[in-house]
Amino acid sequence: YLGSVNIPSGIAAIQQRPSDVKSGPAFHFGAQVSRRLSNKLSLGIGLQYAYVSNQITVGNSPDSTISIYNDRQQLITNSAAYKAAGNSGSKFYNQFHFIQMPLEFSFALGSKQKWHYSAGAGIGYLLGMHALQYNNQAGVYYKDNAAYNKWQTTIFTGFQYRVSKANKIPFPVCPFAQYQLSSLDKTTTNKHLLVYGLAAKFQIR
């Protein structure tokens, strides 16, 4: 985005401001196998599906097909483009689908072991996406699936509280946060996904 102080008057009117990025819906589900390493420490490995999204605001689609250069200096002729409209326009959700393999360490807190602290890391693969990239030169959002990194690494942490009694199936609930260490795409802007919320688990022994 070029401010009006940096460009001549008259040209400033055509400059488009990109949208702020806001949080969107996200959820994970999967299964995990855990093994006790000691009385309080356990190790788990799992497989899960993750859906992550964020929200931007886009303008109308240009009247004709446009040609733009992406960050890799490749010419892209794109008819699925949208004008930038700052934060006034239509809502658009960038959506990403991952398959992930997390490795989790869990440590029991206290003598009753009601509370557990967990942390770990994982690798993931981007199965698919419905997302837009922003091009500064053209002032438009456009689709370029080749711009995204398929393999992703993540770290996560959280606390768990076991709400069921010892003679029943354990049912921990917990707040958690997950951060992707890998940049989401191959541009120079370094986009990283952050997910946080509440989780619940059913444990079968």
Side-chain angles (χ1 to χ4, degrees), residues 19-32:
S19 168
D20 293 336
V21 180
K22 301 179 181 179
S23 59
F27 64 87
H28 298 172
F29 69 84
Q32 177 177 291

Side-chain angles (χ1 to χ4, degrees), residues 100 121-124 151-155 178-183 192:
Q100 298 175 335
I123 59 173
W151 290 99
Q152 299 284 323
T153 56
T154 62
I155 56 174
Q178 177 177 290
Y179 178 74
Q180 289 198 190
L181 296 175
S182 307
S183 178
H192 300 266

Side-chain angles (χ1 to χ4, degrees), residues 131-142:
L132 297 176
Q133 291 278 335
Y134 180 71
N135 184 273
N136 287 292
Q137 295 176 344
V140 297
Y141 286 95
Y142 69 101

Side-chain angles (χ1 to χ4, degrees), residues 64-70 74-81 140 142-144:
S64 59
T65 300
I66 61 173
S67 297
I68 58 180
Y69 285 90
N70 61 19
Q74 297 172 327
L75 178 63
I76 297 179
T77 301
N78 202 308
S79 58
V140 297
Y142 69 101
K143 291 184 178 180
D144 183 10

Side-chain angles (χ1 to χ4, degrees), residues 8-151:
S9 59
I11 300 180
I14 65 172
Q15 298 299 317
Q16 303 292 330
R17 179 185 182 278
S19 168
D20 293 336
V21 180
K22 301 179 181 179
S23 59
F27 64 87
H28 298 172
F29 69 84
Q32 177 177 291
V33 177
S34 298
R35 181 179 179 85
R36 280 186 174 272
L37 302 180
S38 67
N39 185 39
K40 291 191 173 184
L41 182 64
S42 62
L43 172 66
I45 186 169
L47 187 67
Q48 67 181 18
Y49 163 80
Y51 169 83
V52 185
S53 70
N54 56 43
Q55 177 191 315
I56 59 175
T57 303
V58 299
N60 297 327
S61 179
D63 296 333
S64 59
T65 300
I66 61 173
S67 297
I68 58 180
Y69 285 90
N70 61 19
D71 282 15
R72 303 184 301 280
Q73 298 304 309
Q74 297 172 327
L75 178 63
I76 297 179
T77 301
N78 202 308
S79 58
Y82 301 88
K83 296 177 181 178
N87 294 312
S88 59
S90 302
K91 293 181 180 180
F92 183 91
Y93 286 91
N94 293 313
Q95 304 172 49
F96 306 96
H97 306 269
F98 296 94
I99 187 74
Q100 298 175 335
M101 182 177 292
L103 182 68
E104 179 185 77
F105 286 92
S106 179
F107 184 78
L109 305 175
S111 58
K112 295 183 178 180
Q113 299 191 5
K114 283 283 189 179
W115 285 94
H116 289 73
Y117 171 73
S118 61
I123 59 173
Y125 184 78
L126 181 59
L127 296 174
M129 78 292 293
H130 178 58
L132 297 176
Q133 291 278 335
Y134 180 71
N135 184 273
N136 287 292
Q137 295 176 344
V140 297
Y141 286 95
Y142 69 101
K143 291 184 178 180
D144 183 10
N145 290 350
Y148 293 93
N149 291 312
K150 295 294 186 179
W151 290 99

